[in-house]
Amino acid sequence: MKDKQALYTNCMSTFQDEIKCRQFLDKSEAELTDIEERRRNERAKMSVEQLAGLKLRSEIKDVLPGKNNVYVRKYLGEPDEIKYYGERIYWEYYKPVSKFSPESDPDEKITVIFRKVLVERVDHIKPASATDEGVGFRKVLSPETKTDVTKMNGLKTVE
């Protein structure tokens, strides 16, 4: 859905029906916005206690590798979506289950990747409100702002 025109062109080349393709695009766009809006509302409705009860991302990434699906189901709950690709199984959690730090917003998505029956790794997507934590290698080589320099050495050396 990122490129609406390409989707419309593909639809037209396949079906050659302008009315149906426009209806298809409108319906697809409405469904996508409904899903995103539902997720935002779900995060907004969370109470302070629920936000405090979310697991830290670092804990999840340390604890889950090497565990089986029964352990993961008890630890994180039922996944929102399960995808099968070859010998890997992807459990995707769109509901809030983790966050970076106790003060941060919940992660957008957590993906637990199983290889055969054990967890191979855990991936995440940061929330939209996440700030750049730490200093990146690129910023060390060419700091862009005064705050980057301050993060690197704690001193204001660039004026």
Side-chain angles (χ1 to χ4, degrees):
M1 264 321 284
K2 294 187 191 259
D3 189 2
K4 198 173 181 180
Q5 184 60 38
L7 190 59
Y8 177 76
T9 306
N10 288 342
C11 181
M12 284 300 291
S13 67
T14 305
F15 300 112
Q16 288 93 24
D17 189 350
E18 186 175 341
I19 296 170
K20 287 184 179 180
C21 287
R22 289 197 190 281
Q23 288 174 345
F24 169 72
L25 281 179
D26 292 341
K27 184 178 178 183
S28 298
E29 190 172 28
E31 286 176 1
L32 276 178
T33 54
D34 287 347
I35 291 170
E36 290 172 5
E37 191 174 313
R38 255 187 277 134
R39 288 182 188 148
R40 271 190 243 113
N41 290 339
E42 185 177 306
R43 285 187 180 86
K45 288 179 188 176
M46 291 184 73
S47 67
V48 175
E49 292 83 20
Q50 289 173 320
L51 284 171
L54 293 179
K55 294 174 177 31
L56 294 179
R57 186 188 312 151
S58 58
E59 286 179 13
I60 290 175
K61 289 187 169 203
D62 289 343
V63 169
L64 290 185
K67 304 292 193 234
N68 63 11
N69 60 356
V70 175
Y71 184 88
V72 174
R73 191 169 273 127
K74 286 182 182 177
Y75 192 73
L76 293 178
E78 286 293 322
D80 295 317
E81 191 174 350
I82 299 175
K83 296 179 180 178
Y84 298 92
Y85 296 106
E87 63 181 22
R88 287 188 174 76
I89 302 171
Y90 295 76
W91 283 14
E92 295 183 345
Y93 292 88
Y94 297 105
K95 62 185 171 241
V97 293
S98 70
K99 55 186 176 176
F100 175 72
S101 68
E103 307 85 37
S104 66
D105 291 334
D107 290 326
E108 291 287 324
K109 179 173 108 172
I110 293 291
T111 304
V112 181
I113 303 168
F114 292 90
R115 185 165 184 237
K116 298 188 179 180
V117 294
L118 300 177
V119 175
E120 183 176 48
R121 78 174 186 270
V122 179
D123 290 338
H124 72 279
I125 295 178
K126 294 179 186 179
S129 63
T131 58
D132 191 19
E133 295 100 8
V135 177
F137 184 69
R138 188 177 124 278
K139 289 183 179 181
V140 170
L141 294 177
S142 61
E144 296 168 354
T145 64
K146 292 178 186 178
T147 57
D148 292 338
V149 173
T150 306
K151 280 183 184 179
M152 286 188 298
N153 58 17
L155 303 172
K156 291 185 179 182
T157 57
V158 177
E159 292 299 327

